[in-house]
Amino acid sequence: MKKSVLLMMLVLALAGACSSDKGKELFDTAQFEEKQNNREHAKQLYQEIVNKYPDSPVAKQAQERLAALPK
């Protein structure tokens, strides 16, 4: 019983780490797209971060970039 609980906690911790890594990866790509003047794709990526990874460390930054980019 204890092993299964520990295993489940480990799986959940790893899943959380993976989602924040994916959010960071998307954020890095969005920044690259923005620097390449591909603002529409950057906006899509920032919005994806906000929608899929709202608790990630970069979600707030993505929201700020969305607000700063021209409509």
Side-chain angles (χ1 to χ4, degrees), residues 1 9 13 32 35 38 43 47 51 55 60 66 68 70:
M1 180 71 175
M9 289 173 59
F32 175 79
K35 288 176 186 171
N38 191 355
K43 284 190 227 180
Q47 191 61 56
N51 293 342
D55 297 327
K60 183 178 179 187
L66 280 170

Side-chain angles (χ1 to χ4, degrees), residues 7-23 52-53 56:
L7 181 60
M8 182 59 79
M9 289 173 59
L10 178 61
V11 167
L12 290 174
L14 289 173
C18 291
S19 68
S20 67
D21 289 346
K22 181 64 175 172
K52 289 185 177 179
Y53 311 103
S56 76

